[in-house]
Amino acid sequence: MSDVTATAGRISFKGAVRSLLLAASLGLAGCQASSLGDGVGGATNSGIAAVSDSTYGNGPVAIAMLLPSDSSMRAQAADIADGARLALDDLGAGQLRIDFHAFSSRSGEAVSKVQAATAAGTKLIIGPATNTEVSKIISATSLPRPPILALVANNSAGGTHIWPLYGDAIDSALEGVGVAVAAKQKNIVVVHEAGFPAENLLRLREGIRLKGGNTVGFVPYPASGKNLRAAFANGAAVFGKANTIVLLGGGKAIGQVIDILAAGEFGKSIATAIATSLIPEVIYKSPSAQGLMVAIPSTESVHVIADRFKARFGRSPSYDAAIGYDSVAIAAGLVRSGGADAITVANLTSSQGFRAATGLFRFRPDGRIERRMVVHRIENGSLKVIQEEGEGF
């Protein structure tokens, strides 16, 4: 038995649910997800200028970055742009330039921007920042066009040669499933808010299968928090088959859900529970949450750019800034190693993946991003690392 498995087996959760893996697509500890993808908006709009159309750098390899001009996403867009600029300074070696394009996420301009970038010989497109715009690109453009790294989470509809840069709650939950399966807790019940997207539930089921687990059933509960015990009672037969829970949802009912499950009223055979970044961080302070586990993407490498980012832009980098940095760092690395034409689908989807400021990740051929995470346990309201991100896939 590995050290991690042994540790997981000792966790106590009110005697009934012994471990809750709270898997988060957050970034910097202590920050909640922003409206831009599932990233972390570490800055506020105060004192930050809106991104505008401009070009940075003068290298022969062009990257187009499509960013939202919406006031509600100003800070995140500025962080991404500044992270991208820093990456070009650090790694561009005079080979890259970034063409920034800013427009409202409701304008429908993403399609024309992609078409123009394609015609101009752009090698890589970063953005747009909403699922709606990504869907329009999928339906209104065709190959050949540059690869697109969209500033959205994995739950967006995938398209050919389009990948999200942010992970999502399902990715987080599946990282937890891997720990549960390693601890031989393979029979999994999924507890979710009623109305949780069916596409994501199907993706979760398939991911559980690939991890070596078995989905024994789904138990929905009302997001309003009304009649929770009745909802769980309806799933009694499914709970009885499970030794692991995957808990989806983060609305106003989630605290009650955790309290009920932690008390052992349902699922007496359950030894492991897995939840997601949808759960508010305030839950970490709850007595019911002590001993629960949390998986989040590694942010250790963000510190590598922190000093330079702060010296250059006057603020600490957020997870969004690190996303911007990594998106350009990928391009820079490929061009340095393979030349101007090295930003290809084959190179982007290398099974080895990339290790950068947002940790270890890779782009899968099916249009998803896969991110490795660090597993923590909640102790006294804070996070303690029990399993590192790992060296590779």
Side-chain angles (χ1 to χ4, degrees), residues 15-365:
V17 182
R18 296 192 184 92
S19 64
L20 177 61
L21 185 63
L22 178 56
S25 170
L26 303 179
L28 305 177
C31 299
Q32 265 298 356
S34 74
S35 60
L36 190 59
D38 260 355
V40 175
T44 65
N45 287 343
S46 178
I48 296 179
V51 175
S52 59
D53 288 5
S54 61
T55 295
Y56 190 78
N58 54 14
V61 178
I63 298 171
M65 183 164 273
L66 314 182
L67 293 172
S69 61
D70 312 52
S71 60
S72 62
M73 292 188 279
R74 177 183 298 176
Q76 289 84 2
D79 279 359
I80 290 169
D82 287 345
R85 292 185 182 99
L86 184 63
L88 188 143
D89 291 343
D90 286 350
L91 306 169
Q95 296 299 304
L96 304 179
R97 73 176 186 272
I98 306 171
D99 296 323
F100 292 103
H101 303 277
F103 50 90
S104 168
S105 63
R106 296 176 294 277
S107 68
E109 293 183 49
V111 170
S112 63
K113 298 296 185 183
V114 168
Q115 292 170 335
T118 302
T122 299
K123 298 297 186 181
L124 179 68
I125 296 172
I126 301 166
T130 68
N131 291 330
T132 299
E133 290 174 303
V134 172
S135 296
K136 289 178 180 177
I137 290 170
I138 292 170
S139 62
T141 68
S142 59
L143 299 178
R145 54 167 158 68
I148 296 174
L149 305 182
L151 295 162
V152 297
N154 242 350
N155 61 5
S156 62
T160 305
H161 301 177
I162 301 176
W163 296 270
L165 279 164
Y166 293 87
D168 74 347
I170 300 302
D171 304 309
S172 307
L174 287 173
E175 191 84 345
V177 167
V179 174
V181 170
K184 303 190 183 304
Q185 305 295 330
K186 299 182 178 182
N187 294 321
I188 299 168
V189 56
V190 178
V191 177
H192 62 91
E193 288 180 340
F196 201 87
E199 174 200 358
N200 287 346
L201 294 178
L202 290 173
R203 181 156 61 92
L204 178 60
R205 182 198 286 272
E206 177 62 10
I208 289 171
R209 183 186 69 80
L210 292 174
K211 293 284 188 181
N214 171 45
T215 304
V216 299
F218 294 84
V219 178
Y221 66 86
S224 66
K226 296 180 179 179
N227 302 316
L228 289 176
R229 284 182 172 79
F232 293 146
N234 288 336
V238 176
F239 279 124
K241 300 175 183 178
N243 47 32
T244 292
I245 289 178
V246 170
L247 178 60
L248 302 176
K252 62 182 181 181
I254 197 63
Q256 299 176 62
V257 169
I258 291 176
D259 287 344
I260 292 170
L261 295 177
E265 189 171 344
F266 302 96
K268 297 183 183 299
S269 63
I270 291 169
T272 302
I274 300 164
T276 77
S277 59
L278 298 176
I279 292 181
E281 287 184 42
V282 67
I283 297 294
Y284 296 1
K285 303 296 184 182
S286 168
S288 297
Q290 304 315 300
L292 311 185
M293 289 192 292
V294 180
I296 60 176
S298 172
T299 59
E300 183 64 29
S301 295
V302 174
H303 300 303
V304 174
I305 69 169
D307 289 344
R308 296 193 308 284
F309 187 95
K310 188 170 185 178
R312 173 80 182 278
F313 303 111
R315 64 189 188 279
S316 297
S318 67
Y319 189 72
D320 293 312
I323 286 285
Y325 188 96
D326 284 358
S327 64
V328 172
I330 291 166
L334 293 176
V335 170
R336 286 202 315 273
S337 62
D341 295 322
I343 305 175
T344 65
V345 170
N347 286 336
L348 286 170
T349 56
S350 166
S351 61
Q352 294 181 347
F354 304 90
R355 182 179 292 278
T358 56
L360 181 63
F361 58 91
R362 64 181 175 183
F363 301 111
R364 299 187 342 189

